[in-house]
Amino acid sequence: MRHLLSAADLDLATTTAVLDLAEEMGQLQQRPVKKLPALRGRTVVNLFFEDSTRTRSSFELAGKWLSADVINVSAKGSSVSKGESLRDTVLTIDAMGVDALVIRHSASGAPLQASQWARAKVINAGDGTHEHPTQALLDAYTMRRHLRSLGGDGELAGRTVVIVGDLTHSRVVRSNVLLLQTLGATVVLVAPATLMPSGVASWPVTTSNDLDAVLPEADIVMMLRVQSERMSGGYFPTPREYTVGYGLTRNRLGLLRPEAAICHPGPMNRGLEISADAADSASSLILDQVAAGVAVRMSVLYHLLGGDDEREGDPR
């Protein structure tokens, strides 16, 4: 991989390689000393123009546990707050000789644009309502581990993943649809008509407005946050009505098969799209997703930076 800008950049072989290496990287989290020398001498800059807790923290840990030098740059504390353009910011940091830029930006396509300016490798950590490829990878990683815990081979081919919620404003759903298709899963999108993405008819998914009818089919149900900060109009009458129609409530837990699991990329609006009963249930993989973020991003960084020149070979 030259960059990771979209889940579409990942074919089946690459996706499998990233997820398999992440399984081994995940073992590092159980060690007293969480350190590998794989990226010693490399420099990774986390360039975040939007607030983030999970993504930025996990990229920082991933880089540091691989022995890279990691620098965090946020818009609020940089020359961006003085009016500097994205192009000038990227060129300035790239001119310092860094090896990778991890970029989150409110504008769709910003990481792609940055990759055309920079010599460094670029990783999309979320761009507007477009994509979030490492989130899709960690979701797939978490799903595979869950399926293996049930005694299977962990493969997602033939499994049904139901994704519910604010699909219009979600970058997570776009990356998940692409990656889950690559892995052979069936994806069902559920939302009110006002929150279905434009052009969804051309996506490799089926759609529904009836959550109760779809839940019994699910191997995995992923709830998405209602992104009220991106909404400028009335996408649904009231929060209460949204919960009644599309929230994973205590009563709806009874519609799930016993082996079905619950995911949520976070942050959660408890009581809106997901109840406390669902979020904290034995079927919930939400904290597993958080833990998976470090292992998966370690694998991504290694695949982008660890195989160059004298660094080829086993990262361990």
Side-chain angles (χ1 to χ4, degrees):
M1 291 188 292
R2 168 61 184 154
H3 305 287
L4 180 54
L5 305 173
S6 165
D9 297 338
L10 301 165
D11 59 19
L12 180 58
T14 305
T15 300
T16 302
V18 170
L19 295 177
D20 287 347
L21 182 58
E23 291 279 357
E24 301 191 29
M25 294 296 190
Q27 297 174 16
L28 187 70
Q29 291 171 278
Q30 310 306 318
R31 298 182 190 175
V33 178
K34 300 173 175 64
K35 206 77 167 179
L36 292 174
L39 298 185
R40 182 178 294 141
R42 299 292 196 179
T43 303
V44 178
V45 174
N46 293 328
L47 184 56
F48 276 59
F49 294 86
E50 285 187 322
D51 294 337
S52 170
T53 300
R54 294 162 184 78
T55 303
R56 185 165 70 175
S57 297
S58 61
F59 265 115
E60 182 176 1
L61 283 174
K64 288 181 175 179
W65 287 359
L66 289 171
S67 300
D69 296 310
V70 182
I71 300 170
N72 291 321
V73 178
S74 63
K76 293 175 183 176
S78 71
S79 294
V80 173
S81 62
K82 301 176 182 178
E84 184 174 70
S85 68
L86 172 64
R87 181 177 184 274
D88 287 334
T89 299
V90 169
L91 289 174
T92 297
I93 294 173
D94 190 58
M96 297 177 187
V98 305
D99 298 290
L101 290 170
V102 180
I103 299 179
R104 169 167 286 193
H105 201 281
S106 59
S108 299
L112 172 61
Q113 190 69 68
S115 72
Q116 296 169 357
W117 297 324
R119 290 169 295 178
K121 306 291 181 72
V122 175
I123 300 172
N124 181 0
D127 59 332
T129 59
H130 180 226
E131 278 209 53
H132 195 351
T134 60
Q135 179 69 47
L137 282 166
L138 73 87
D139 291 339
Y141 172 92
T142 305
M143 293 175 196
R144 289 204 325 171
R145 288 178 62 86
H146 166 70
L147 293 172
R148 283 179 183 153
S149 74
L150 299 176
D153 57 10
E155 296 302 314
L156 283 160
R159 300 289 186 169
T160 298
V161 180
V162 176
I163 304 178
V164 188
D166 184 0
L167 308 179
T168 292
H169 302 102
S170 175
R171 51 194 168 210
V172 172
V173 70
R174 287 161 176 79
S175 290
N176 263 289
V177 166
L178 289 167
L179 195 73
L180 289 169
Q181 179 195 26
T182 298
L183 293 170
T186 298
V187 181
V188 182
L189 301 183
V190 182
T194 52
L195 290 175
M196 280 289 180
S198 175
V200 71
S202 64
W203 292 18
V205 299
T206 58
T207 62
S208 176
N209 302 125
D210 189 345
L211 179 57
D212 293 339
V214 169
L215 283 180
E217 305 170 12
D219 293 294
I220 307 287
V221 56
M222 180 180 294
M223 306 305 297
L224 298 180
R225 181 173 67 91
V226 175
Q227 299 186 40
S228 55
E229 75 277 7
R230 297 184 188 271
M231 295 181 180
S232 57
Y235 287 86
F236 47 85
T238 65
R240 173 62 181 163
E241 288 189 51
Y242 180 88
T243 301
V244 169
Y246 298 96
L248 189 58
T249 60
R250 178 189 299 176
N251 291 338
R252 285 199 170 102
L253 289 176
L255 299 176
L256 292 172
R257 291 185 290 184
E259 68 276 12
I262 300 162
C263 292
H264 194 305
M268 294 181 287
N269 292 315
R270 286 178 180 252
L272 183 54
E273 75 268 359
I274 188 168
S275 66
D277 299 273
D280 301 329
S281 72
S283 301
S284 173
L285 302 179
I286 295 169
L287 290 180
D288 299 81
Q289 290 173 272
V290 176
V294 179
V296 166
R297 287 163 178 140
M298 288 175 72
S299 179
V300 168
L301 287 172
Y302 181 77
H303 274 84
L304 284 171
L305 299 176
D308 294 346
D309 306 323
E310 73 278 5
R311 292 175 175 80
E312 291 187 2
D314 195 313
R316 297 156 290 168

